[in-house]
Amino acid sequence: MASSDTGKEEIDEAEEEALLKSDDDYDMREVSEQSSINLEGPLIDEDFLINDSSKSQSNAKSDFTSNNKVMSERKESESDISSDNEDDAEGEALKQYEDLVAELESEKYAYDKYVRLCDLSHATGDLDNIRKAYKSFSEVYPLTAELWLRYINVELKLAQSPNEIEKVETLFKRAFQDYYSCDLAENFASFAPRCKDADMIWKQILSTYGLHCFQSRYYFQMYRKYLKVFYSIEDNQNDSYIESFLTELRHPHVDMEESFIEFRVFYEWNKETLSQKIKWEDVERRYFRAKEQLQKILPFEEKLKTYAEHAYREKVDTYFEYIEAADKLLDENVLQTIYERMVAECCLKADCWLKYIKFIEYRDEYGPPDGLPAFHPFNQTADDINKRALRNCSWSPELYIKRMRLFEKMGKTKEEIQEILEGAMAAGFQTPEPAVLIWLEYLTYLRRHTERGNENECDTLRKTFNLAWTILGQQWGVLADCNCEILQFWGRLEYGPLQDSKRGKELWTTVMESSDNASKSGLWIEFASLEMRRDLESTRNIFSKALRSVNLDNPSVISSAWERFERCNGTAKTLENCLKECHGINKNVSLKLSQHKSNIKSKKEVKSVKRKASPLRDELPPKHSRNLDAEVNSCEKRTFKDHEDQTIDISKDHLRIFLSNLDYNISEEQIRAELIELKIVNVELIRSANGRSRGFGYAELINEDEVEKALAMDRKILHGRPLYISSVLRDKQQRQKFKYSVEIEPQKLFVKGLPPDVTEQELKDIFAAFGNIKDVRLVHHKSGKFKNIAYIEYEDASSAGKAVLALDKTKLRDHLLSVAISAPPPKPTTSPSNPMKSLGIIPHKQRKAFDQKPRMSLIPNAVRKNFQSQNAPNSLNTLINHNGAPKTNEDFRNLLKR
């Protein structure tokens, strides 16, 4: 019993020390906050110096007094000088601040300028300027955690009254609505004791950041220290203490074993004084289940920690895999925090936001889970996340389209959906394709909400189509909607619900005369099918005109469709004329196809003769052998493919490089002479049948160091063309990756609009004024023609920012320059094979006249339209039975009966 009491006393002493330490921590925090307000204090403690025993004599006192007087005069002088310098710096910063504010009025989406504006606001030393800068920034873009903390710290130093403290609390909550940030949570937790409702703040932090796999235990430990400092036993501190352990051990996180042991020890030593009894069977069951979950999700968490800060694509892929696995393991609250972490780390990836929106849509459709916290991020709707997404990815048409559909689902008015369209058109897309997609979505929405019998609504729909086509044309010119998707859509509606076939024909005639649409058989057949409802003779003319089109991708499809049309609707004479015209077309197509097949067959025979030449020399009589020798020799002279007969030494792959985009007239000797800095063993150009170089070849180097040196010379200008140098290793994992970054590079500039005669040295001279330049690269076409763009890489990001501010929109020899931070567009992900090919639907790529036609080229219009209107691989579900087998003809008949 005595030993037990002794042990308990030791625990009590340890808790008392922890309590005192916590008091010290919070006292020191308060001292540091107060000291940060008054930064100008005395550098020397005069009372200490006067009372020093070594200065007790009168001479020493007089010496000190005189010295102190000199020092004070020196301080005053230095203070005056520094004050003058500070005034000059603040004045210059204020001027730049005002200029930048004026620029942002016309350049609302210039992110870098907002960052610069915040920096200048701090340099001016004016609190109003700081507040205005951050307010204007946050109205357009979300602020990063670093920016929020910088602003909040300014307000925190001044917060003394309850109203000021409440304002800082509001700033923290606004910051949480932008991004999920552990740094923000930690600072908010430290600030919580000064707030009116600290318990509610802690509840918000623990319910969100207490679910973080690596940070959970840290926040719960902070909370338990807070309970010890600010609550007594009479305030039911132990109940909250126990509840914190129970909450922490429900969810998987690192070091949860330590929390479990700590909980067990605490309970054993305090169970006699605790009012709450613990069912350890339930606690252990939830604990071990959470540990099992941890083992399954920990590989994803560890993998995410290994990525570099800007490895966004790799992070996205890992998060998607993580979410797919966690969806079957974790509850929805933990899963949502993973989504929040994903969009915080990969905020510029629209597909992350779209996946998050889909998750919230699904959750809300079936009702939120029990015990869902009533604050951010759990109280967000799908539209709330969509708005956040557009603040980060204002260039993504998919996000605008998604918001239109959400608004329609929520029953919003046409005016509200029109505001989304207007916001999208003001986003400043770099290409016309996103604008076309958004206009199509908006027009589709209007079509669904237009009453057919209402002439005013139909007229409004027509005017909107005309407005869309006019605005796109004014903004993009001939590049706007090259495929005339909007006119096609408008024409279909005129033939159908709008019931103006004449206008529909005019629109479709414009479509077929635009771009290369006249070469697309699919469009001709759709045009004829629509016109068939109005005028049979006009339909006949459309088929005839289609067959006479230059570079028609599939004439056989048109001729077959015309023949079927005449058999169903024509007279004997019209059918005869159709067959006559189609016969001539089909004959030409068959002739080209047979010529193509014979050419392929002859090439195969030549190769076969070449390979079997040696045996035939021995078997044939001399008179035939001489003729065959001449034939084989002539073939060898024509092909110049000696490399095909050579055995390739794979062991030397690590010493070889692949050279491509070469000048067709360059020789091996010229390559050696141009690449004199490389130690080349041999060069081999690949040649065509006539002996002419095919523009690529191989080079073997003396060692691997030379190979690395050669790869670094990729895109070197050789005979007026950029030389592409790459590895020839068979293993794809070992090959050289694309050597330029595909992520945002804050230290690199993208410059376009350059004069065609500009040189690297000239650009170095211009841009070197803003910092040390690491590299200058002029970009050329494969043909060697200069693209009028370049990349300038500095040693640091600040130099790049200065150059953007100074040189963007300036002129160089009457050429307007565009200077921006390098931010390449995301590389398209590998898409699955086109399911439309399996239906016989002709892709946009032109077919050659002698290509084999698809086996199912004449699918019923209703089926094809239905398939093409769907925008996901899921659309294949309508063409596949539940057992996985393709649908039969009977299935298609049933589809048409719907």
Side-chain angles (χ1 to χ4, degrees):
M1 188 66 182
S3 62
S4 175
D5 293 339
T6 303
K8 190 170 183 179
E9 289 175 0
E10 292 176 355
I11 293 293
D12 292 340
E13 290 176 1
E15 289 183 355
E16 185 177 357
E17 289 180 5
L19 182 62
L20 292 173
K21 186 176 185 301
S22 300
D23 288 334
D24 293 341
D25 290 343
Y26 280 94
D27 291 342
M28 287 304 294
R29 189 181 300 118
E30 292 177 2
V31 170
S32 65
E33 290 172 355
Q34 294 171 3
S35 63
S36 63
I37 298 172
N38 183 15
L39 298 178
E40 297 181 0
L43 299 177
I44 299 176
D45 190 348
E46 296 182 5
D47 292 335
F48 170 76
L49 291 174
I50 292 174
N51 293 327
D52 194 326
S53 60
S54 63
K55 296 293 182 179
S56 59
Q57 298 179 2
S58 59
N59 291 338
K61 286 184 178 181
S62 62
D63 291 342
F64 169 75
T65 303
S66 60
N67 289 337
N68 194 30
K69 184 177 180 181
V70 172
M71 290 179 65
S72 62
E73 291 176 355
R74 185 181 301 168
K75 281 184 188 178
E76 291 176 1
S77 176
E78 291 176 355
S79 177
D80 293 340
I81 295 173
S82 63
S83 178
D84 293 339
N85 293 335
E86 289 176 2
D87 291 342
D88 294 340
E90 289 180 359
E92 180 63 24
L94 182 60
K95 183 178 181 303
Q96 294 181 21
Y97 174 87
E98 293 172 348
D99 293 341
L100 204 53
V101 169
E103 291 178 18
L104 286 170
E105 290 180 359
S106 58
E107 300 178 47
K108 183 180 178 181
Y109 294 96
Y111 184 90
D112 293 337
K113 291 188 177 182
Y114 282 110
V115 176
R116 174 65 176 159
L117 185 70
C118 291
D119 292 338
L120 289 172
S121 69
H122 286 278
T124 62
D126 190 329
L127 182 61
D128 289 337
N129 289 339
I130 295 174
R131 288 172 174 170
K132 289 177 183 178
Y134 282 94
K135 181 182 178 182
S136 60
F137 196 171
S138 62
E139 287 174 352
V140 182
Y141 288 109
L143 304 186
T144 63
E146 294 76 12
L147 286 169
W148 272 117
L149 287 174
R150 188 180 182 187
Y151 175 40
I152 289 173
N153 283 332
V154 173
E155 297 287 358
L156 195 60
K157 293 174 182 178
L158 305 174
Q160 299 298 325
S161 68
N163 289 337
E164 292 170 338
I165 291 174
E166 186 177 351
K167 181 179 179 181
V168 174
E169 181 182 348
T170 303
L171 289 176
F172 269 113
K173 291 180 179 179
R174 282 181 56 195
F176 281 139
Q177 293 175 3
D178 280 347
Y179 295 117
Y180 185 99
S181 168
C182 291
D183 291 336
L184 274 171
E186 183 178 352
N187 280 269
F188 197 21
S190 300
F191 174 71
R194 300 177 61 187
C195 299
K196 184 177 180 181
D197 195 351
D199 289 343
M200 181 56 69
I201 292 174
W202 269 110
K203 186 177 180 181
Q204 178 177 356
I205 292 172
L206 294 179
S207 64
T208 308
Y209 296 87
L211 304 179
H212 194 292
C213 185
F214 286 108
Q215 300 292 331
S216 178
R217 177 170 164 77
Y218 173 72
Y219 289 112
F220 277 99
Q221 284 181 320
M222 283 184 67
Y223 176 61
R224 287 190 279 270
K225 289 180 181 179
Y226 159 77
L227 290 176
K228 286 183 178 181
V229 173
F230 292 96
Y231 286 90
S232 63
I233 296 177
E234 290 77 11
D235 296 327
N236 295 323
Q237 173 215 331
N238 286 339
D239 290 343
S240 300
Y241 207 83
I242 291 174
E243 189 61 35
S244 71
F245 279 114
L246 294 175
T247 304
E248 180 184 359
L249 296 174
R250 286 192 185 102
H251 305 293
H253 61 83
V254 175
D255 297 332
M256 62 185 308
E257 298 90 347
E258 298 179 14
S259 298
F260 182 77
I261 294 171
E262 182 183 349
F263 182 30
R264 198 69 185 252
V265 170
F266 170 80
Y267 182 79
E268 289 299 327
W269 286 109
N270 297 276
K271 61 183 178 181
E272 296 178 359
T273 61
L274 295 176
S275 60
Q276 184 177 356
K277 302 301 179 182
I278 304 298
K279 292 183 179 180
W280 284 102
E281 297 81 3
D282 295 340
V283 174
E284 290 177 353
R285 186 182 70 255
R286 290 192 293 265
Y287 166 69
F288 287 116
R289 183 180 64 185
K291 281 197 67 175
E292 290 178 4
Q293 294 171 348
L294 178 63
Q295 297 305 315
K296 295 178 180 178
I297 68 173
L298 196 57
F300 297 106
E301 293 283 358
E302 295 288 355
K303 190 174 182 181
L304 288 169
K305 289 177 64 178
T306 63
Y307 292 133
E309 181 181 357
H310 300 299
Y312 300 120
R313 190 69 259 169
E314 292 83 356
K315 288 182 181 179
V316 170
D317 294 339
T318 303
Y319 267 118
F320 279 13
E321 295 172 6
Y322 187 5
I323 289 170
E324 184 177 356
D327 191 29
K328 305 170 185 176
L329 298 171
L330 308 177
D331 65 32
E332 293 189 3
N333 291 3
V334 182
L335 192 59
Q336 188 167 355
T337 60
I338 299 174
Y339 274 106
E340 283 287 336
R341 289 169 55 194
M342 176 179 69
V343 296
E345 293 185 36
C346 310
C347 59
L348 300 181
K349 298 296 182 181
D351 47 351
C352 295
W353 290 102
L354 289 168
K355 190 175 183 67
Y356 190 9
I357 295 169
K358 186 176 180 181
F359 165 75
I360 297 298
E361 272 193 295
Y362 179 84
R363 185 199 71 181
D364 292 346
E365 184 177 354
Y366 293 95
D370 297 334
L372 186 70
F375 36 74
H376 189 85
F378 305 108
N379 61 352
Q380 296 179 106
T381 64
D383 183 49
D384 292 332
I385 297 170
N386 206 326
K387 284 191 290 187
R388 290 174 60 198
L390 285 171
R391 281 164 58 84
N392 286 274
C393 307
S394 57
W395 59 84
S396 170
E398 293 82 6
L399 289 172
Y400 290 103
I401 291 171
K402 185 63 179 177
R403 192 156 193 234
M404 285 185 185
R405 293 174 182 172
L406 284 174
F407 268 38
E408 184 179 9
K409 188 176 178 180
M410 295 160 60
K412 298 288 187 178
T413 63
K414 291 183 180 179
E415 289 74 16
E416 290 174 306
I417 296 179
Q418 183 179 333
E419 288 179 2
I420 300 175
L421 172 70
E422 293 169 354
M425 294 303 106
F429 296 118
Q430 299 298 313
T431 58
E433 287 78 10
V436 172
L437 289 175
I438 294 169
W439 269 111
L440 282 173
E441 183 64 26
Y442 179 69
L443 293 168
T444 304
Y445 160 78
L446 284 185
R447 192 274 306 165
R448 288 195 293 267
H449 294 268
T450 297
E451 187 178 346
R452 295 189 180 185
N454 191 321
E455 192 63 33
N456 290 332
E457 290 189 5
C458 292
D459 189 51
T460 300
L461 181 59
R462 289 190 179 100
K463 289 180 179 178
T464 308
F465 269 105
N466 185 59
L467 178 65
W469 184 253
T470 302
I471 290 177
L472 289 171
Q474 290 174 348
Q475 187 171 4
W476 303 101
V478 294
L479 297 177
D481 195 9
C482 295
N483 295 325
C484 300
E485 297 284 349
I486 289 177
L487 292 187
Q488 290 181 44
F489 185 18
W490 188 3
R492 293 185 192 106
L493 294 181
E494 293 290 359
Y495 273 112
L498 297 180
Q499 298 180 350
D500 190 345
S501 300
K502 183 178 180 181
R503 182 177 293 179
K505 182 182 179 181
E506 292 174 356
L507 291 169
W508 267 90
T509 301
T510 304
V511 169
M512 302 313 298
E513 291 174 352
S514 301
S515 187
D516 60 344
N517 290 337
S519 64
K520 300 173 182 178
S521 301
L523 290 179
W524 281 113
I525 290 178
E526 184 177 1
F527 186 15
S529 300
L530 293 170
E531 184 64 16
M532 199 182 301
R533 307 172 188 175
R534 188 181 77 92
D535 186 356
L536 296 181
E537 185 61 31
S538 178
T539 305
R540 196 170 285 116
N541 293 335
I542 290 173
F543 278 120
S544 178
K545 185 177 181 180
L547 284 176
R548 294 195 299 272
S549 298
V550 180
N551 298 325
L552 187 64
D553 56 5
N554 204 330
S556 301
V557 174
I558 301 292
S559 59
S560 299
W562 189 8
E563 182 180 343
R564 286 195 300 274
F565 166 77
E566 293 295 352
R567 291 188 185 280
C568 295
N569 303 286
T571 63
K573 184 175 181 180
T574 57
L575 176 61
E576 183 180 355
N577 291 337
C578 166
L579 293 175
K580 181 178 179 180
E581 189 168 347
C582 291
H583 177 72
I585 296 294
N586 291 334
K587 185 177 180 180
N588 292 335
V589 172
S590 300
L591 180 61
K592 291 180 180 179
L593 183 61
S594 62
Q595 290 176 350
H596 178 63
K597 289 182 177 179
S598 63
N599 290 337
I600 294 175
K601 185 177 180 181
S602 62
K603 289 180 180 179
K604 289 182 178 179
E605 289 175 352
V606 168
K607 288 184 178 180
S608 176
V609 170
K610 180 178 177 182
R611 289 170 183 164
K612 297 181 180 179
S614 298
L616 286 173
R617 286 191 181 94
D618 298 333
E619 295 173 5
L620 292 176
K623 60 180 181 178
H624 295 292
S625 177
R626 185 172 60 250
N627 295 335
L628 185 61
D629 285 344
E631 182 180 350
V632 171
N633 289 334
S634 65
C635 288
E636 290 176 344
K637 290 178 181 179
R638 288 198 308 270
T639 59
F640 281 89
K641 292 186 178 180
D642 297 335
H643 60 278
E644 290 186 355
D645 298 327
Q646 295 177 2
T647 58
I648 299 175
D649 186 0
I650 299 178
S651 64
K652 291 187 177 182
D653 276 357
H654 64 291
L655 300 177
R656 292 194 183 94
I657 55 175
F658 178 64
L659 309 176
S660 58
N661 199 43
L662 292 164
D663 185 352
Y664 293 102
N665 296 320
I666 199 169
S667 64
E668 287 88 343
E669 291 75 16
Q670 288 174 316
I671 292 175
R672 284 176 177 272
E674 293 287 347
L675 303 178
I676 192 172
E677 55 267 60
L678 297 177
K679 298 177 182 178
I680 301 176
V681 177
N682 63 66
V683 179
E684 179 183 6
L685 290 177
I686 306 303
R687 302 182 181 276
S688 59
N690 59 7
R692 181 180 173 85
S693 168
R694 297 176 64 183
F696 61 90
Y698 299 88
E700 181 181 341
L701 304 177
I702 193 169
N703 55 41
E704 294 185 20
D705 292 339
E706 288 296 306
V707 172
E708 293 298 324
K709 183 178 176 182
L711 293 176
M713 296 169 61
D714 183 33
R715 286 172 170 74
K716 172 185 172 69
I717 302 301
L718 189 64
H719 280 217
R721 298 168 65 95
L723 171 62
Y724 299 155
I725 305 176
S726 57
S727 173
V728 298
L729 293 174
R730 265 69 174 171
D731 187 354
K732 292 183 179 180
Q733 299 298 327
Q734 299 180 20
R735 288 182 191 168
Q736 181 191 21
K737 299 285 193 322
F738 184 64
K739 75 174 188 176
Y740 300 113
S741 174
V742 295
E743 307 292 348
I744 295 176
E745 297 177 277
Q747 78 283 2
K748 184 181 288 188
L749 300 181
F750 173 66
V751 185
K752 63 181 181 179
L754 291 166
D757 59 343
V758 73
T759 63
E760 289 187 8
Q761 187 58 46
E762 184 178 6
L763 290 179
K764 282 183 180 178
D765 295 340
I766 294 173
F767 285 86
F770 306 98
N772 295 329
I773 293 180
K774 187 176 179 181
D775 182 46
V776 175
R777 177 166 65 94
L778 302 181
V779 183
H780 297 78
H781 288 280
K782 292 176 65 175
S783 62
K785 182 181 177 181
F786 180 42
K787 288 187 175 182
N788 303 102
I789 61 177
Y791 289 93
I792 314 292
E793 184 174 3
Y794 285 96
E795 293 182 355
D796 55 79
S798 60
S799 300
K802 294 176 183 177
V804 170
L805 293 173
L807 297 179
D808 188 31
K809 307 299 183 185
T810 59
K811 285 190 176 183
L812 178 61
R813 294 198 289 279
D814 295 330
H815 285 72
L816 184 65
L817 301 184
S818 172
V819 184
I821 299 297
S822 175
K827 298 181 72 176
T829 55
T830 305
S831 58
S833 59
N834 188 1
M836 299 174 70
K837 292 183 179 179
S838 63
L839 301 176
I841 298 174
I842 301 171
H844 289 296
K845 185 178 179 180
Q846 294 186 6
R847 282 186 185 273
K848 296 182 180 178
F850 46 81
D851 283 351
Q852 186 176 3
K853 69 178 181 180
R855 298 182 64 183
M856 293 177 62
S857 57
L858 293 177
I859 297 172
N861 237 6
V863 176
R864 183 173 61 210
K865 287 182 185 178
N866 184 43
F867 176 76
Q868 288 177 325
S869 67
Q870 299 177 7
N871 188 24
N874 294 333
S875 59
L876 282 176
N877 295 336
T878 60
L879 305 173
I880 300 175
N881 282 318
H882 296 296
N883 58 6
K887 288 192 174 183
T888 62
N889 290 340
E890 186 62 30
D891 294 324
F892 278 103
R893 292 190 193 98
N894 293 333
L895 282 174
L896 293 174
K897 292 177 183 178
R898 294 178 181 176

PDB file of all heavy atoms in Angstrom, residues 361-368:
ATOM      1  N   GLU A 361     -21.539  15.818 -53.537  1.00  0.00           N
ATOM      2  CA  GLU A 361     -22.845  15.587 -54.169  1.00  0.00           C
ATOM      3  C   GLU A 361     -23.424  14.242 -53.739  1.00  0.00           C
ATOM      4  O   GLU A 361     -24.607  14.133 -53.391  1.00  0.00           O
ATOM      5  CB  GLU A 361     -22.693  15.611 -55.693  1.00  0.00           C
ATOM      6  CG  GLU A 361     -22.830  16.966 -56.322  1.00  0.00           C
ATOM      7  CD  GLU A 361     -22.983  16.866 -57.824  1.00  0.00           C
ATOM      8  OE1 GLU A 361     -22.018  16.413 -58.480  1.00  0.00           O
ATOM      9  OE2 GLU A 361     -24.055  17.209 -58.337  1.00  0.00           O
ATOM     10  N   TYR A 362     -22.593  13.224 -53.764  1.00  0.00           N
ATOM     11  CA  TYR A 362     -23.046  11.889 -53.379  1.00  0.00           C
ATOM     12  C   TYR A 362     -23.434  11.861 -51.904  1.00  0.00           C
ATOM     13  O   TYR A 362     -24.452  11.271 -51.531  1.00  0.00           O
ATOM     14  CB  TYR A 362     -21.920  10.878 -53.651  1.00  0.00           C
ATOM     15  CG  TYR A 362     -22.260   9.458 -53.269  1.00  0.00           C
ATOM     16  CD1 TYR A 362     -22.972   8.647 -54.145  1.00  0.00           C
ATOM     17  CD2 TYR A 362     -21.872   8.930 -52.037  1.00  0.00           C
ATOM     18  CE1 TYR A 362     -23.280   7.333 -53.808  1.00  0.00           C
ATOM     19  CE2 TYR A 362     -22.182   7.636 -51.688  1.00  0.00           C
ATOM     20  CZ  TYR A 362     -22.880   6.837 -52.579  1.00  0.00           C
ATOM     21  OH  TYR A 362     -23.199   5.544 -52.238  1.00  0.00           O
ATOM     22  N   ARG A 363     -22.628  12.537 -51.068  1.00  0.00           N
ATOM     23  CA  ARG A 363     -22.936  12.562 -49.636  1.00  0.00           C
ATOM     24  C   ARG A 363     -24.264  13.253 -49.373  1.00  0.00           C
ATOM     25  O   ARG A 363     -25.098  12.767 -48.597  1.00  0.00           O
ATOM     26  CB  ARG A 363     -21.815  13.289 -48.895  1.00  0.00           C
ATOM     27  CG  ARG A 363     -21.960  13.286 -47.382  1.00  0.00           C
ATOM     28  CD  ARG A 363     -21.122  14.388 -46.754  1.00  0.00           C
ATOM     29  NE  ARG A 363     -21.683  15.710 -47.041  1.00  0.00           N
ATOM     30  CZ  ARG A 363     -21.138  16.849 -46.633  1.00  0.00           C
ATOM     31  NH1 ARG A 363     -20.006  16.838 -45.961  1.00  0.00           N
ATOM     32  NH2 ARG A 363     -21.711  18.007 -46.915  1.00  0.00           N
ATOM     33  N   ASP A 364     -24.484  14.392 -50.016  1.00  0.00           N
ATOM     34  CA  ASP A 364     -25.709  15.147 -49.772  1.00  0.00           C
ATOM     35  C   ASP A 364     -26.934  14.450 -50.360  1.00  0.00           C
ATOM     36  O   ASP A 364     -28.047  14.627 -49.858  1.00  0.00           O
ATOM     37  CB  ASP A 364     -25.581  16.554 -50.353  1.00  0.00           C
ATOM     38  CG  ASP A 364     -24.545  17.397 -49.610  1.00  0.00           C
ATOM     39  OD1 ASP A 364     -24.144  16.974 -48.506  1.00  0.00           O
ATOM     40  OD2 ASP A 364     -24.134  18.439 -50.136  1.00  0.00           O
ATOM     41  N   GLU A 365     -26.726  13.692 -51.432  1.00  0.00           N
ATOM     42  CA  GLU A 365     -27.851  13.001 -52.049  1.00  0.00           C
ATOM     43  C   GLU A 365     -28.464  11.972 -51.097  1.00  0.00           C
ATOM     44  O   GLU A 365     -29.681  11.787 -51.056  1.00  0.00           O
ATOM     45  CB  GLU A 365     -27.398  12.329 -53.340  1.00  0.00           C
ATOM     46  CG  GLU A 365     -28.525  11.657 -54.108  1.00  0.00           C
ATOM     47  CD  GLU A 365     -28.060  11.066 -55.429  1.00  0.00           C
ATOM     48  OE1 GLU A 365     -26.869  11.292 -55.792  1.00  0.00           O
ATOM     49  OE2 GLU A 365     -28.853  10.392 -56.097  1.00  0.00           O
ATOM     50  N   TYR A 366     -27.625  11.304 -50.345  1.00  0.00           N
ATOM     51  CA  TYR A 366     -28.101  10.283 -49.416  1.00  0.00           C
ATOM     52  C   TYR A 366     -28.144  10.781 -47.971  1.00  0.00           C
ATOM     53  O   TYR A 366     -28.344  10.004 -47.048  1.00  0.00           O
ATOM     54  CB  TYR A 366     -27.200   9.050 -49.505  1.00  0.00           C
ATOM     55  CG  TYR A 366     -27.319   8.350 -50.836  1.00  0.00           C
ATOM     56  CD1 TYR A 366     -26.420   8.631 -51.863  1.00  0.00           C
ATOM     57  CD2 TYR A 366     -28.340   7.448 -51.090  1.00  0.00           C
ATOM     58  CE1 TYR A 366     -26.521   8.012 -53.097  1.00  0.00           C
ATOM     59  CE2 TYR A 366     -28.452   6.823 -52.318  1.00  0.00           C
ATOM     60  CZ  TYR A 366     -27.547   7.099 -53.320  1.00  0.00           C
ATOM     61  OH  TYR A 366     -27.651   6.480 -54.542  1.00  0.00           O
ATOM     62  N   GLY A 367     -27.933  12.073 -47.769  1.00  0.00           N
ATOM     63  CA  GLY A 367     -28.002  12.641 -46.433  1.00  0.00           C
ATOM     64  C   GLY A 367     -26.662  12.605 -45.749  1.00  0.00           C
ATOM     65  O   GLY A 367     -25.912  11.634 -45.868  1.00  0.00           O
ATOM     66  N   PRO A 368     -26.311  13.664 -45.001  1.00  0.00           N
ATOM     67  CA  PRO A 368     -25.024  13.707 -44.300  1.00  0.00           C
ATOM     68  C   PRO A 368     -24.969  12.642 -43.217  1.00  0.00           C
ATOM     69  O   PRO A 368     -26.001  12.232 -42.679  1.00  0.00           O
ATOM     70  CB  PRO A 368     -24.991  15.112 -43.705  1.00  0.00           C
ATOM     71  CG  PRO A 368     -26.421  15.531 -43.629  1.00  0.00           C
ATOM     72  CD  PRO A 368     -27.119  14.856 -44.768  1.00  0.00           C
TER      73      PRO A 368
END
